[in-house]
Amino acid sequence: MTDPNLLMIPGPIGLTPQVLAALSTPQRGHLDPVFMKAFSSTLKRLRDVFAAPTAQPFVVSGSGTLAMEMAVANLVQPGDRALVVNSGYFSDRIGKMLELHGATVTHVRAEPGDLPTLDDVERALKSGGFKVLTITHVDTSTGVLAPVQSLAKLAKAHGALVVVDGVCSAGGEALELDVWGVDVAFTASQKALGAPPGLGVLLASPKAMEAWKARTRPVASMYLDFAEWLPIMQAYEAGAPSYFATPAVNLILALDVSLGQLLDESMCQRVARHVSLATAARAAWSALGLTPLTKRPGLAAHTLSALTYPAGVDAGLVKHVAANGVNIAGGLHPAIKATYFRVGHMGSTDAGALLTTIAAVERGLKASGYRFDAGAGVAAAQRALG
Ligand SMILES: *Cc1c(COP(=O)(O)O)cnc(C)c1O
């Protein structure tokens, strides 16, 4: 086989032919009119994707981790307090970053596969004085989906800025910054936004920009400072070039095409498609006797599934599935890494790709010596898809 496997990991994800085509045009400069138009359109489209008409978008070269650090570096300074709603690996990461940038960090934690309750979070908020509350919308290490809207409401009531790690959710899960009162959301190009890896994306509300302006200490990173990037984003959005650091021209061309496809489908339809595919996937896993990592059904994300290996099956499953043409991922959460695997179903994934993936997982389970009713997963998904 010369084509790579179907890429069903929780990012990077497979690209549409239109996105691929945008990557394979001759190299343009960052002052090229075609590029300027695409960058302007990318910034405008991001406001639509995030339902954030008043937010300031930033697109910078780097991964989601860079966008995470951009949020942290600009919002906190030594002496600030931050509350982390901790749902796993990526919540730990933002906690560490907040500390590195001088914040005093409190974590509200839960078992892997679970979320702290709203009461737990409220109790912590009441202890007072938090400048920011961070939420991992979908924790990619456990497949847990956090109730951003409810958490944001609590944070607002206690005067904290709401920061959402939307790296595994934006473009797949419902996420409406303005209406929900989210101050900063960030993501990366390679997950549900459907572009190649290499871009960090961040949107900041007017309130977040005010908080940044009100800092008394400089941002402890030149590359991440809003002060360097704000004039660049404003210029490109208005159709004029401006230089601080060379933009990833080709990736932005590709992201613009992907965002265009996303908005052509409409966010509403796209979220509905992710829900329907996730529902079908869950029906399949259940029919195969596979247990999700999420402790309660309402906690499960729609962009990926995280499943415990059944008795007798181990990480060898991932290789057996790959041998059947589909790439899935192993575990990520350090405490339970070896006990589960993950299947991404986000971006342009359709029913056909999902069914192919379920069939490959069945082949992999069979090769791992697991006993089950072959075809049961595919049949259950077919029924759920209607
Ligand atoms: C992937 C991911 C990140 C990190 O993004 P990178 O692009 O790998 O740096 C952060 N948070 C979440 C929830 C993610 O899924």
Side-chain angles (χ1 to χ4, degrees), residues 65 68 72 82-99 105-116 121 133-146 151 163-168 186 332-334:
T65 303
M68 182 188 279
V72 168
L83 185 64
V84 175
V85 180
N86 194 312
S87 52
Y89 181 84
F90 289 108
S91 309
D92 285 339
R93 177 172 294 186
I94 199 166
K96 190 169 174 190
M97 267 180 201
L98 285 159
E99 274 167 11
V105 181
T106 304
H107 290 266
V108 199
R109 293 179 191 276
E111 294 278 284
D114 209 345
L115 258 182
V121 175
L133 171 122
T134 72
I135 307 162
T136 310
H137 194 184
V138 170
D139 195 288
T140 323
S141 70
T142 57
V144 166
L145 174 69
L151 288 164
V163 176
V164 173
D165 175 346
V167 183
C168 202
F186 58 85
L332 179 64
H333 195 298

Side-chain angles (χ1 to χ4, degrees), residues 292-340:
L293 214 64
T294 40
K295 304 277 185 211
R296 285 167 278 132
L299 288 176
H302 303 103
T303 48
L304 81 156
S305 298
L307 302 156
T308 303
Y309 292 122
V313 176
D314 61 16
L317 174 68
V318 175
K319 287 200 187 78
H320 289 308
V321 175
N324 285 281
V326 178
N327 284 1
I328 60 170
L332 179 64
H333 195 298
I336 49 171
K337 200 173 158 62
T339 68
Y340 74 106

Side-chain angles (χ1 to χ4, degrees), residues 15-25 194 253-254 256-258 261 348:
L15 306 177
T16 64
Q18 293 81 358
V19 172
L20 272 175
L23 285 165
S24 57
T25 54
L253 291 170
D256 185 46
V257 170
S258 188
Q261 292 192 307
S348 59

Side-chain angles (χ1 to χ4, degrees), residues 98-292:
L98 285 159
E99 274 167 11
L100 278 169
H101 287 270
T104 304
V105 181
T106 304
H107 290 266
V108 199
R109 293 179 191 276
E111 294 278 284
D114 209 345
L115 258 182
T117 64
L118 290 175
D119 284 348
D120 290 342
V121 175
E122 184 160 35
R123 213 167 302 122
L125 278 167
K126 275 188 183 144
S127 70
F130 290 104
K131 182 175 184 185
V132 297
L133 171 122
T134 72
I135 307 162
T136 310
H137 194 184
V138 170
D139 195 288
T140 323
S141 70
T142 57
V144 166
L145 174 69
V148 169
Q149 193 172 9
S150 310
L151 288 164
K153 206 168 158 195
L154 282 181
K156 293 274 138 188
H158 291 85
L161 292 164
V162 178
V163 176
V164 173
D165 175 346
V167 183
C168 202
S169 67
E173 304 282 357
L175 176 58
E176 301 182 16
L177 304 200
D178 264 30
V179 176
W180 293 6
V182 173
D183 294 297
V184 169
F186 58 85
T187 187
S189 45
Q190 80 276 15
K191 299 205 184 168
L193 292 186
L199 295 175
V201 168
L202 180 148
L203 284 93
S205 72
K207 216 173 130 200
M209 295 307 288
E210 276 164 34
W212 162 70
K213 279 187 204 129
R215 297 174 63 93
T216 54
R217 301 225 205 167
V219 171
S221 158
M222 184 167 176
Y223 188 74
L224 295 174
D225 196 342
F226 283 167
E228 301 292 350
W229 290 110
L230 184 59
I232 310 299
M233 299 302 144
Q234 287 170 336
Y236 271 105
E237 185 168 0
S242 185
Y243 174 78
F244 163 55
T246 308
V249 171
N250 316 47
L251 295 178
I252 291 171
L253 291 170
L255 178 61
D256 185 46
V257 170
S258 188
L259 295 176
Q261 292 192 307
L262 215 136
L263 293 169
D264 280 348
E265 182 179 8
S266 94
M267 272 316 292
C268 184
Q269 289 289 329
R270 192 168 169 103
V271 168
R273 175 166 57 78
H274 280 77
V275 169
S276 117
L277 291 174
T279 306
R282 267 174 230 151
W285 311 140
S286 164
L288 295 172
L290 300 174
T291 316

Side-chain angles (χ1 to χ4, degrees), residues 65-87:
T65 303
L66 181 103
M68 182 188 279
E69 194 148 17
M70 189 179 216
V72 168
N74 285 281
L75 286 189
V76 307
Q77 62 179 15
D80 289 338
R81 293 188 67 200
L83 185 64
V84 175
V85 180
N86 194 312
S87 52

